[in-house]
Amino acid sequence: MKAPIFALVDCDNFFVSCERIFRPDLTDHPVVVLSSNDGCAVSRSNEAKKLGIPMGAPAFKYQELFKQHQVAKFSANFELYGNISRRITELLTTVTPRIEIYSVDESFLDLSELPIADYAVWGHSVRAAILQWTGVPVSIGIASSKTLAKLASNRAKKLPELGGVLNLINNPDTDMYLESVAVQDIWGIGRQLAPKLRAEGIDNALKLSKMYPKLAKQLTGIRGRQTVTELDGISCFPITLGSQRPKTILRSRTFGEDTNSSHIVESALASFATTAAFRLRRSGQLAKQIGIFVDTNRFKPGFRRWTKNMSYRTPIADTGQLINDAVSMFGEIYNTGVAYHRAGVWLQDFVPDDQLQIDIFGNTNIHEHDTSQKRMQAIDSLNERYGKHTVHYATQDLARQWQPKRKLCSPRYTTDLNELPKAKIVHTTNK
DNA sequence: TCTGGGGTCCTAGGACCC
DNA sequence: TCTGGGGTCCTAGGACCC
């Protein structure tokens, strides 16, 4: 077996880059993409970063700066980003089928078995192909472990002279690159572990790579020890091929406005249960547990959260049943005096939908289960064919007022025929 | 006035059992 | 008032990620 070699392909400022595909006028211009309710900056162009807008910056605190520098703002348009993301991973799949889609904007590739003479040259050609075919700039890191590949792509992003690609395989400058990465910027080292390590005098990746594994385990737990080993060039985290089935599914939103209306909250919960159940069915699973939560505003004094959950003897994926249970659980905790700010539905404790166990007390109603499965299949295929909300449950319609605000949303350029980009034909005449 | 959403894995401690 | 030791399983919460 050959020594493992990984590439991490990481899109630059992904959401901003997606918006720029259709707005070339915004190249070199500061751009931010805002979260739900246009609340926080969740993606920033390099120009916006230079203005000092941090990740997660609350938009209302930066309005002045936005105005002063004419920062272009967009509400997050996940249909667009999801579509661009799929185009990129399809392209990468033609490079090698041994790919792990790590997130919407990052994929690991296993290069061990590929006949590549020069990894840096290979990286630059992949980068150029993605830019040409999708318009999205990426950074590529190549190394013998995932953690080092992450670190390499981070350097490739930050150091312009690298042209977006850094290979650390047999690279004599590896120690220099490790030394230039602060301990809190290492994959797997977060807000809690970084100060602990700094207190031990370990403030960069090179020092961490030389830490005694025993001490690392003691100080940072098993994952921290593995991170140390990975930085030392020995792979601990293998590539995960194929699509993984989720272990929990959560759907939640902050409301457009706080509300104390039970109808509005019920309508929101019904929508969350619907999308969660659809995701559950698409993953080929049934759930044994459903839970709900409702929150007040966490930034206001007296913040509170209420939760409720229930288990099913026979696991289900039936939207109607899940809506019913979500709404009735809310009925048990509803309080007319509360300003509800946010709510959510989660599903967990899954089993594959082809392995329904008959419980020993004879409580499993196979007939009801089969009827439900067929009903759901019919609804899903109608909605796939004729559009998302063709068939839905009435509870969702009781009130739509809970929906978050998205005042600055770009068109769904690539996924809705009515919102295609318009081309302007310019006639030129030769004299 | 205005502060996102969706995940995974690990660990400590309690419940329970022998 | 004293009243073992060890194992497993489960769960809540912590820490991390994008």
Side-chain angles (χ1 to χ4, degrees), chain A residues 8-62:
Chain A
L8 178 71
V9 179
D10 188 348
C11 301
D12 297 345
N13 314 331
F14 182 55
F15 300 166
V16 165
S17 296
C18 290
E19 297 293 347
R20 275 179 172 166
I21 296 172
F22 303 94
R23 292 290 305 275
D25 57 304
L26 294 177
T27 312
D28 303 324
H29 192 89
V31 180
V32 295
V33 172
L34 303 173
S35 62
S36 176
N37 273 317
D38 300 332
C40 299
V42 289
S43 181
R44 305 150 295 148
S45 70
N46 292 341
E47 300 76 17
K49 288 176 189 173
K50 275 189 198 128
L51 290 175
I53 301 164
M55 184 63 176
F60 77 92
K61 285 190 183 169
Y62 285 82

Side-chain angles (χ1 to χ4, degrees), chain A residues 344-366:
Chain A
V345 169
W346 81 85
L347 305 175
Q348 62 183 16
D349 210 350
F350 300 156
V351 296
D353 61 10
D354 53 3
Q355 288 176 29
L356 181 68
Q357 298 268 334
I358 315 281
D359 90 77
I360 54 167
F361 304 105
N363 287 312
T364 310
N365 188 336
I366 289 293

